DNA sequence: ACGGTGTACTATGTGTTGTGGTACACTTGG
DNA sequence: CCAAGTGTACCACAACACATAGTACACCGT
């Protein structure tokens, strides 16, 4: 399980979303595995049930989980099927923006490549 | 000159900051060149003078511009001298976060490299 | 029928951002 | 010298996002 960083710049809702995406994509959680209920997770993480519900709703919209009313929420594997183009564009814009900021700091193109290769390599190790 | 996107997710203040960093780093504005006054720029961009002032203040803190009280604000070139480690770390974290999101979408490591190389190459052309 | 589940809604407090307005100190040019 | 232009520093206000608090309803399985 993960924990919530109250001091983070990221909203609690986004932290829940990203942590679960990580767990699901890395297959720590398996297909059809039951998620904690909204009320239970809100107790565990000590956040408001509404915040958890908001996170679950977005995860469901993006097909990372699916819902069976009255039974609970479960891990899906539909997320693999096709890449969401709109979200991809959004991330590309943010990446371009942050890479620009590297240049503003005086980082050279090669140094930027080096930094990013380090990040990607770091992720691959765990996969 | 640039313009402000009122619909952007980025704050007006940050838009001013980033646009000027771009102009300064790309040498569109030269060393010692006079910047528009706070009041003038606020009229041009149709935003509040306080917002422009906030942006100028941050640009001055980061040595992109310097101020001569009563005379005006001018482009600096001190930004080249050394890389701000704290800011670099911040950007690295955001980059790592966005690259993670690429993985969540099902993008492979090689495809991620391709996307990022495209962004960097795009910037280099203009330099 | 009951308890656990997801869902929906309203209301409230807080923090950030942008705006509006005022005041002051400084420099330059007439 | 003085007026105009400049940066700087406040304060108050509105809008918005976020998290919280509480309530109510519908669904499912035992």
């Amino acid at each position: 399980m993960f924990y919530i960083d109250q001091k983070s710049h990221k909203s609690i809702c986004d932290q829940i979303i990203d942590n679960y995406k990580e767990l699901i994509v890395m297959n720590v959680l398996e297909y059809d595995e039951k998620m904690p209920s909204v009320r239970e997770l809100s107790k565990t993480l000590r956040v408001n049930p509404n915040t958890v519900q908001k996170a679950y709703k977005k995860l469901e919209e993006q097909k990372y989980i699916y819902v069976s009313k009255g039974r609970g929420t479960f891990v899906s594997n539909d997320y693999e099927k096709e890449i969401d183009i709109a979200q991809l564009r959004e991330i590309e814009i943010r990446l371009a923006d942050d890479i620009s900021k590297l240049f503003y700091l005086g980082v050279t193109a090669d140094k930027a490549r080096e930094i990013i290769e380090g990040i990607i390599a770091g992720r691959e190790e765990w996969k």
Side-chain angles (χ1 to χ4, degrees), chain A:
Chain A
M1 187 52 57
F2 52 89
Y3 66 96
I4 295 300
D5 179 7
Q6 294 283 357
K7 302 182 299 299
S8 170
H9 57 288
K10 262 164 98 171
S11 74
I12 295 176
C13 184
D14 283 343
Q15 288 184 58
I16 296 172
I17 291 171
D18 289 344
N19 274 302
Y20 267 110
K21 283 186 180 178
E22 182 84 27
L23 293 173
I24 292 170
V25 171
M26 294 304 171
N27 281 311
V28 176
L29 301 180
E30 287 172 15
Y31 180 46
D32 277 347
E33 189 168 333
K34 190 173 186 312
M35 305 267 291
S37 75
V38 171
R39 290 170 177 79
E40 187 192 343
L41 186 58
S42 75
K43 273 191 180 178
T44 308
L45 300 180
R46 304 191 181 185
V47 298
N48 193 282
N50 286 326
T51 306
V52 176
Q53 195 207 329
K54 213 182 295 177
Y56 274 23
K57 189 174 179 181
K58 285 191 187 174
L59 283 170
E60 199 225 346
E61 284 169 1
Q62 294 170 28
K63 313 282 186 195
Y64 288 85
I65 60 181
Y66 66 90
V67 164
S68 181
K69 267 192 181 179
R71 285 180 57 233
T73 307
F74 304 86
V75 175
S76 164
N77 60 358
D78 289 351
Y79 68 89
E80 295 177 353
K81 288 182 180 164
E82 61 192 64
I83 294 176
D84 184 324
I85 300 297
Q87 282 188 63
L88 184 58
R89 286 278 166 275
E90 226 176 85
I91 297 173
E92 279 178 354
I93 289 170
R94 276 208 304 279
L95 279 171
D97 208 65
D98 281 333
I99 289 171
S100 291
K101 286 192 166 60
L102 284 182
F103 281 76
Y104 300 162
L105 282 180
V107 174
T108 63
D110 283 337
K111 182 69 183 165
R113 288 190 180 91
E114 201 178 296
I115 290 171
I116 288 163
E117 184 50 40
I119 295 171
I120 294 179
R123 282 207 67 88
E124 275 186 314
E125 279 179 26
W126 273 97
K127 198 136 187 183

mmCIF file of all heavy atoms in Angstrom, chain A residues 11-13 47-48 50-51 69-71, chain D residues 18-22 24-25 27-29:
data_model
loop_
_atom_site.group_PDB
_atom_site.id
_atom_site.type_symbol
_atom_site.label_atom_id
_atom_site.label_comp_id
_atom_site.label_asym_id
_atom_site.label_seq_id
_atom_site.Cartn_x
_atom_site.Cartn_y
_atom_site.Cartn_z
ATOM 1 N N SER A 11 -2.537 17.096 -5.680
ATOM 2 C CA SER A 11 -3.745 16.940 -4.878
ATOM 3 C C SER A 11 -3.834 15.505 -4.374
ATOM 4 O O SER A 11 -3.295 14.582 -4.987
ATOM 5 C CB SER A 11 -4.976 17.281 -5.710
ATOM 6 O OG SER A 11 -5.252 16.266 -6.626
ATOM 7 N N ILE A 12 -4.508 15.328 -3.254
ATOM 8 C CA ILE A 12 -4.686 13.991 -2.696
ATOM 9 C C ILE A 12 -5.330 13.072 -3.719
ATOM 10 O O ILE A 12 -4.921 11.926 -3.900
ATOM 11 C CB ILE A 12 -5.549 14.063 -1.416
ATOM 12 C CG1 ILE A 12 -4.808 14.857 -0.338
ATOM 13 C CG2 ILE A 12 -5.888 12.678 -0.922
ATOM 14 C CD1 ILE A 12 -5.624 15.069 0.918
ATOM 15 N N CYS A 13 -6.336 13.603 -4.402
ATOM 16 C CA CYS A 13 -7.027 12.832 -5.433
ATOM 17 C C CYS A 13 -6.037 12.311 -6.473
ATOM 18 O O CYS A 13 -6.046 11.117 -6.796
ATOM 19 C CB CYS A 13 -8.088 13.718 -6.084
ATOM 20 S SG CYS A 13 -9.110 12.896 -7.299
ATOM 21 N N VAL A 47 -8.297 10.235 4.719
ATOM 22 C CA VAL A 47 -8.787 11.342 3.900
ATOM 23 C C VAL A 47 -10.291 11.200 3.767
ATOM 24 O O VAL A 47 -10.870 10.205 4.196
ATOM 25 C CB VAL A 47 -8.138 11.342 2.500
ATOM 26 C CG1 VAL A 47 -6.636 11.535 2.593
ATOM 27 C CG2 VAL A 47 -8.464 10.060 1.748
ATOM 28 N N ASN A 48 -10.912 12.190 3.182
ATOM 29 C CA ASN A 48 -12.371 12.188 3.073
ATOM 30 C C ASN A 48 -12.864 11.181 2.034
ATOM 31 O O ASN A 48 -12.272 11.052 0.971
ATOM 32 C CB ASN A 48 -12.834 13.594 2.707
ATOM 33 C CG ASN A 48 -14.326 13.762 2.885
ATOM 34 O OD1 ASN A 48 -15.098 13.322 2.046
ATOM 35 N ND2 ASN A 48 -14.722 14.353 3.992
ATOM 36 N N ASN A 50 -15.211 11.359 0.010
ATOM 37 C CA ASN A 50 -15.487 12.000 -1.274
ATOM 38 C C ASN A 50 -14.242 12.100 -2.149
ATOM 39 O O ASN A 50 -14.327 12.008 -3.367
ATOM 40 C CB ASN A 50 -16.051 13.406 -1.058
ATOM 41 C CG ASN A 50 -17.486 13.371 -0.591
ATOM 42 O OD1 ASN A 50 -18.236 12.491 -0.989
ATOM 43 N ND2 ASN A 50 -17.861 14.314 0.249
ATOM 44 N N THR A 51 -13.121 12.331 -1.521
ATOM 45 C CA THR A 51 -11.866 12.442 -2.278
ATOM 46 C C THR A 51 -11.513 11.096 -2.901
ATOM 47 O O THR A 51 -11.114 11.021 -4.066
ATOM 48 C CB THR A 51 -10.733 12.903 -1.345
ATOM 49 O OG1 THR A 51 -11.129 14.102 -0.700
ATOM 50 C CG2 THR A 51 -9.465 13.153 -2.130
ATOM 51 N N LYS A 69 -21.963 -2.417 -8.953
ATOM 52 C CA LYS A 69 -22.747 -1.730 -7.914
ATOM 53 C C LYS A 69 -23.161 -2.669 -6.787
ATOM 54 O O LYS A 69 -23.696 -3.741 -7.046
ATOM 55 C CB LYS A 69 -24.002 -1.110 -8.531
ATOM 56 C CG LYS A 69 -23.820 0.337 -8.965
ATOM 57 C CD LYS A 69 -25.191 0.970 -9.278
ATOM 58 C CE LYS A 69 -25.048 2.407 -9.727
ATOM 59 N NZ LYS A 69 -26.360 3.009 -10.063
ATOM 60 N N GLY A 70 -22.917 -2.265 -5.591
ATOM 61 C CA GLY A 70 -23.316 -3.057 -4.436
ATOM 62 C C GLY A 70 -22.325 -4.148 -4.080
ATOM 63 O O GLY A 70 -22.341 -4.668 -2.974
ATOM 64 N N ARG A 71 -21.418 -4.501 -5.051
ATOM 65 C CA ARG A 71 -20.419 -5.534 -4.764
ATOM 66 C C ARG A 71 -19.065 -4.935 -4.438
ATOM 67 O O ARG A 71 -18.416 -5.321 -3.460
ATOM 68 C CB ARG A 71 -20.280 -6.490 -5.951
ATOM 69 C CG ARG A 71 -21.451 -7.467 -6.087
ATOM 70 C CD ARG A 71 -21.240 -8.388 -7.274
ATOM 71 N NE ARG A 71 -19.992 -9.124 -7.186
ATOM 72 C CZ ARG A 71 -19.055 -9.154 -8.144
ATOM 73 N NH1 ARG A 71 -19.228 -8.477 -9.250
ATOM 74 N NH2 ARG A 71 -17.947 -9.840 -7.983
ATOM 75 P P DC D 18 -8.467 20.839 -8.539
ATOM 76 O OP1 DC D 18 -7.194 20.344 -9.105
ATOM 77 O OP2 DC D 18 -9.764 20.389 -9.082
ATOM 78 O "O5'" DC D 18 -8.460 20.549 -6.983
ATOM 79 C "C5'" DC D 18 -7.410 21.092 -6.192
ATOM 80 C "C4'" DC D 18 -7.751 20.964 -4.714
ATOM 81 O "O4'" DC D 18 -8.831 21.859 -4.405
ATOM 82 C "C3'" DC D 18 -8.244 19.573 -4.325
ATOM 83 O "O3'" DC D 18 -7.231 18.942 -3.556
ATOM 84 C "C2'" DC D 18 -9.513 19.827 -3.497
ATOM 85 C "C1'" DC D 18 -9.525 21.340 -3.304
ATOM 86 N N1 DC D 18 -10.881 21.974 -3.298
ATOM 87 C C2 DC D 18 -11.301 22.655 -2.159
ATOM 88 O O2 DC D 18 -10.550 22.710 -1.189
ATOM 89 N N3 DC D 18 -12.533 23.244 -2.158
ATOM 90 C C4 DC D 18 -13.312 23.168 -3.235
ATOM 91 N N4 DC D 18 -14.511 23.764 -3.194
ATOM 92 C C5 DC D 18 -12.891 22.477 -4.413
ATOM 93 C C6 DC D 18 -11.685 21.893 -4.400
ATOM 94 P P DA D 19 -7.354 17.388 -3.167
ATOM 95 O OP1 DA D 19 -5.986 16.874 -2.986
ATOM 96 O OP2 DA D 19 -8.286 16.738 -4.084
ATOM 97 O "O5'" DA D 19 -8.027 17.455 -1.730
ATOM 98 C "C5'" DA D 19 -7.387 18.185 -0.698
ATOM 99 C "C4'" DA D 19 -8.341 18.387 0.457
ATOM 100 O "O4'" DA D 19 -9.415 19.232 0.037
ATOM 101 C "C3'" DA D 19 -8.981 17.093 0.975
ATOM 102 O "O3'" DA D 19 -8.581 16.880 2.322
ATOM 103 C "C2'" DA D 19 -10.494 17.343 0.854
ATOM 104 C "C1'" DA D 19 -10.581 18.858 0.729
ATOM 105 N N9 DA D 19 -11.726 19.313 -0.063
ATOM 106 C C8 DA D 19 -12.025 19.008 -1.354
ATOM 107 N N7 DA D 19 -13.126 19.577 -1.801
ATOM 108 C C5 DA D 19 -13.585 20.301 -0.716
ATOM 109 C C6 DA D 19 -14.715 21.131 -0.535
ATOM 110 N N6 DA D 19 -15.614 21.362 -1.482
ATOM 111 N N1 DA D 19 -14.876 21.711 0.673
ATOM 112 C C2 DA D 19 -13.963 21.468 1.624
ATOM 113 N N3 DA D 19 -12.871 20.718 1.578
ATOM 114 C C4 DA D 19 -12.741 20.156 0.361
ATOM 115 P P DT D 20 -9.189 15.608 3.121
ATOM 116 O OP1 DT D 20 -8.193 15.254 4.163
ATOM 117 O OP2 DT D 20 -9.661 14.599 2.152
ATOM 118 O "O5'" DT D 20 -10.469 16.224 3.841
ATOM 119 C "C5'" DT D 20 -10.333 17.409 4.618
ATOM 120 C "C4'" DT D 20 -11.694 17.929 5.024
ATOM 121 O "O4'" DT D 20 -12.436 18.312 3.852
ATOM 122 C "C3'" DT D 20 -12.583 16.921 5.764
ATOM 123 O "O3'" DT D 20 -12.719 17.334 7.107
ATOM 124 C "C2'" DT D 20 -13.922 16.953 5.013
ATOM 125 C "C1'" DT D 20 -13.807 18.186 4.146
ATOM 126 N N1 DT D 20 -14.540 18.114 2.863
ATOM 127 C C2 DT D 20 -15.713 18.811 2.735
ATOM 128 O O2 DT D 20 -16.193 19.474 3.632
ATOM 129 N N3 DT D 20 -16.317 18.703 1.491
ATOM 130 C C4 DT D 20 -15.846 17.975 0.410
ATOM 131 O O4 DT D 20 -16.467 17.953 -0.641
ATOM 132 C C5 DT D 20 -14.609 17.265 0.617
ATOM 133 C C7 DT D 20 -14.029 16.471 -0.493
ATOM 134 C C6 DT D 20 -14.025 17.370 1.822
ATOM 135 P P DA D 21 -13.311 16.292 8.203
ATOM 136 O OP1 DA D 21 -12.858 16.790 9.518
ATOM 137 O OP2 DA D 21 -13.013 14.915 7.796
ATOM 138 O "O5'" DA D 21 -14.883 16.525 8.073
ATOM 139 C "C5'" DA D 21 -15.418 17.831 8.225
ATOM 140 C "C4'" DA D 21 -16.938 17.783 8.091
ATOM 141 O "O4'" DA D 21 -17.292 17.922 6.696
ATOM 142 C "C3'" DA D 21 -17.576 16.478 8.575
ATOM 143 O "O3'" DA D 21 -18.492 16.784 9.624
ATOM 144 C "C2'" DA D 21 -18.310 15.932 7.339
ATOM 145 C "C1'" DA D 21 -18.437 17.142 6.450
ATOM 146 N N9 DA D 21 -18.436 16.845 5.009
ATOM 147 C C8 DA D 21 -17.486 16.150 4.314
ATOM 148 N N7 DA D 21 -17.738 16.047 3.026
ATOM 149 C C5 DA D 21 -18.944 16.725 2.870
ATOM 150 C C6 DA D 21 -19.748 16.965 1.734
ATOM 151 N N6 DA D 21 -19.449 16.558 0.521
ATOM 152 N N1 DA D 21 -20.889 17.675 1.922
ATOM 153 C C2 DA D 21 -21.193 18.093 3.153
ATOM 154 N N3 DA D 21 -20.514 17.919 4.295
ATOM 155 C C4 DA D 21 -19.388 17.221 4.077
ATOM 156 P P DG D 22 -19.229 15.570 10.421
ATOM 157 O OP1 DG D 22 -19.507 16.076 11.778
ATOM 158 O OP2 DG D 22 -18.468 14.322 10.245
ATOM 159 O "O5'" DG D 22 -20.610 15.419 9.654
ATOM 160 C "C5'" DG D 22 -21.343 16.586 9.333
ATOM 161 C "C4'" DG D 22 -22.452 16.257 8.361
ATOM 162 O "O4'" DG D 22 -21.913 16.123 7.030
ATOM 163 C "C3'" DG D 22 -23.170 14.937 8.655
ATOM 164 O "O3'" DG D 22 -24.514 15.218 9.041
ATOM 165 C "C2'" DG D 22 -23.133 14.173 7.322
ATOM 166 C "C1'" DG D 22 -22.760 15.245 6.321
ATOM 167 N N9 DG D 22 -22.045 14.736 5.156
ATOM 168 C C8 DG D 22 -20.855 14.043 5.152
ATOM 169 N N7 DG D 22 -20.458 13.713 3.957
ATOM 170 C C5 DG D 22 -21.446 14.202 3.118
ATOM 171 C C6 DG D 22 -21.563 14.148 1.715
ATOM 172 O O6 DG D 22 -20.809 13.624 0.898
ATOM 173 N N1 DG D 22 -22.726 14.780 1.273
ATOM 174 C C2 DG D 22 -23.651 15.381 2.085
ATOM 175 N N2 DG D 22 -24.696 15.936 1.490
ATOM 176 N N3 DG D 22 -23.554 15.446 3.400
ATOM 177 C C4 DG D 22 -22.428 14.836 3.843
ATOM 178 P P DA D 24 -30.884 12.365 6.048
ATOM 179 O OP1 DA D 24 -32.133 13.067 6.385
ATOM 180 O OP2 DA D 24 -30.381 11.273 6.909
ATOM 181 O "O5'" DA D 24 -31.017 11.792 4.569
ATOM 182 C "C5'" DA D 24 -31.126 12.699 3.469
ATOM 183 C "C4'" DA D 24 -30.996 11.928 2.164
ATOM 184 O "O4'" DA D 24 -29.613 11.580 1.970
ATOM 185 C "C3'" DA D 24 -31.786 10.618 2.132
ATOM 186 O "O3'" DA D 24 -32.764 10.687 1.100
ATOM 187 C "C2'" DA D 24 -30.737 9.541 1.829
ATOM 188 C "C1'" DA D 24 -29.553 10.339 1.304
ATOM 189 N N9 DA D 24 -28.246 9.750 1.589
ATOM 190 C C8 DA D 24 -27.694 9.504 2.814
ATOM 191 N N7 DA D 24 -26.491 8.972 2.760
ATOM 192 C C5 DA D 24 -26.240 8.854 1.407
ATOM 193 C C6 DA D 24 -25.140 8.363 0.687
ATOM 194 N N6 DA D 24 -24.036 7.866 1.257
ATOM 195 N N1 DA D 24 -25.212 8.395 -0.662
ATOM 196 C C2 DA D 24 -26.314 8.884 -1.233
ATOM 197 N N3 DA D 24 -27.413 9.379 -0.672
ATOM 198 C C4 DA D 24 -27.305 9.337 0.665
ATOM 199 P P DC D 25 -33.872 9.517 0.979
ATOM 200 O OP1 DC D 25 -35.123 10.156 0.534
ATOM 201 O OP2 DC D 25 -33.840 8.700 2.210
ATOM 202 O "O5'" DC D 25 -33.329 8.626 -0.217
ATOM 203 C "C5'" DC D 25 -32.982 9.246 -1.455
ATOM 204 C "C4'" DC D 25 -32.196 8.268 -2.317
ATOM 205 O "O4'" DC D 25 -30.890 8.089 -1.755
ATOM 206 C "C3'" DC D 25 -32.831 6.881 -2.420
ATOM 207 O "O3'" DC D 25 -33.222 6.638 -3.748
ATOM 208 C "C2'" DC D 25 -31.711 5.923 -1.971
ATOM 209 C "C1'" DC D 25 -30.468 6.778 -2.086
ATOM 210 N N1 DC D 25 -29.389 6.397 -1.142
ATOM 211 C C2 DC D 25 -28.169 5.930 -1.649
ATOM 212 O O2 DC D 25 -28.015 5.841 -2.866
ATOM 213 N N3 DC D 25 -27.182 5.584 -0.783
ATOM 214 C C4 DC D 25 -27.379 5.696 0.529
ATOM 215 N N4 DC D 25 -26.382 5.353 1.336
ATOM 216 C C5 DC D 25 -28.608 6.172 1.069
ATOM 217 C C6 DC D 25 -29.580 6.505 0.204
ATOM 218 P P DC D 27 -31.827 0.347 -8.087
ATOM 219 O OP1 DC D 27 -31.953 0.411 -9.558
ATOM 220 O OP2 DC D 27 -32.995 0.002 -7.242
ATOM 221 O "O5'" DC D 27 -30.647 -0.651 -7.724
ATOM 222 C "C5'" DC D 27 -29.381 -0.482 -8.339
ATOM 223 C "C4'" DC D 27 -28.341 -1.281 -7.580
ATOM 224 O "O4'" DC D 27 -28.296 -0.828 -6.219
ATOM 225 C "C3'" DC D 27 -28.653 -2.779 -7.510
ATOM 226 O "O3'" DC D 27 -27.769 -3.474 -8.390
ATOM 227 C "C2'" DC D 27 -28.397 -3.153 -6.044
ATOM 228 C "C1'" DC D 27 -27.827 -1.891 -5.421
ATOM 229 N N1 DC D 27 -28.266 -1.626 -4.022
ATOM 230 C C2 DC D 27 -27.375 -1.840 -2.983
ATOM 231 O O2 DC D 27 -26.224 -2.268 -3.237
ATOM 232 N N3 DC D 27 -27.763 -1.598 -1.707
ATOM 233 C C4 DC D 27 -28.993 -1.137 -1.457
ATOM 234 N N4 DC D 27 -29.343 -0.912 -0.190
ATOM 235 C C5 DC D 27 -29.927 -0.910 -2.515
ATOM 236 C C6 DC D 27 -29.526 -1.166 -3.763
ATOM 237 P P DC D 28 -28.031 -5.073 -8.695
ATOM 238 O OP1 DC D 28 -27.344 -5.361 -9.979
ATOM 239 O OP2 DC D 28 -29.475 -5.352 -8.518
ATOM 240 O "O5'" DC D 28 -27.253 -5.826 -7.545
ATOM 241 C "C5'" DC D 28 -25.825 -5.759 -7.496
ATOM 242 C "C4'" DC D 28 -25.316 -6.418 -6.235
ATOM 243 O "O4'" DC D 28 -25.811 -5.700 -5.086
ATOM 244 C "C3'" DC D 28 -25.762 -7.865 -6.054
ATOM 245 O "O3'" DC D 28 -24.620 -8.696 -6.186
ATOM 246 C "C2'" DC D 28 -26.356 -7.942 -4.646
ATOM 247 C "C1'" DC D 28 -25.986 -6.598 -4.010
ATOM 248 N N1 DC D 28 -27.046 -6.024 -3.144
ATOM 249 C C2 DC D 28 -26.815 -5.929 -1.775
ATOM 250 O O2 DC D 28 -25.742 -6.336 -1.301
ATOM 251 N N3 DC D 28 -27.780 -5.370 -0.977
ATOM 252 C C4 DC D 28 -28.927 -4.932 -1.513
ATOM 253 N N4 DC D 28 -29.838 -4.389 -0.705
ATOM 254 C C5 DC D 28 -29.166 -5.022 -2.923
ATOM 255 C C6 DC D 28 -28.222 -5.578 -3.696
ATOM 256 P P DG D 29 -24.865 -10.337 -6.300
ATOM 257 O OP1 DG D 29 -23.780 -10.883 -7.117
ATOM 258 O OP2 DG D 29 -26.273 -10.633 -6.605
ATOM 259 O "O5'" DG D 29 -24.610 -10.788 -4.791
ATOM 260 C "C5'" DG D 29 -23.338 -10.543 -4.185
ATOM 261 C "C4'" DG D 29 -23.395 -10.858 -2.704
ATOM 262 O "O4'" DG D 29 -24.330 -9.958 -2.056
ATOM 263 C "C3'" DG D 29 -23.874 -12.277 -2.402
ATOM 264 O "O3'" DG D 29 -22.897 -12.964 -1.630
ATOM 265 C "C2'" DG D 29 -25.177 -12.110 -1.614
ATOM 266 C "C1'" DG D 29 -25.143 -10.658 -1.151
ATOM 267 N N9 DG D 29 -26.459 -10.014 -1.187
ATOM 268 C C8 DG D 29 -27.300 -9.920 -2.277
ATOM 269 N N7 DG D 29 -28.404 -9.262 -2.017
ATOM 270 C C5 DG D 29 -28.280 -8.909 -0.674
ATOM 271 C C6 DG D 29 -29.163 -8.183 0.148
ATOM 272 O O6 DG D 29 -30.262 -7.702 -0.135
ATOM 273 N N1 DG D 29 -28.650 -8.047 1.434
ATOM 274 C C2 DG D 29 -27.444 -8.536 1.861
ATOM 275 N N2 DG D 29 -27.127 -8.298 3.137
ATOM 276 N N3 DG D 29 -26.603 -9.219 1.099
ATOM 277 C C4 DG D 29 -27.093 -9.357 -0.166
#
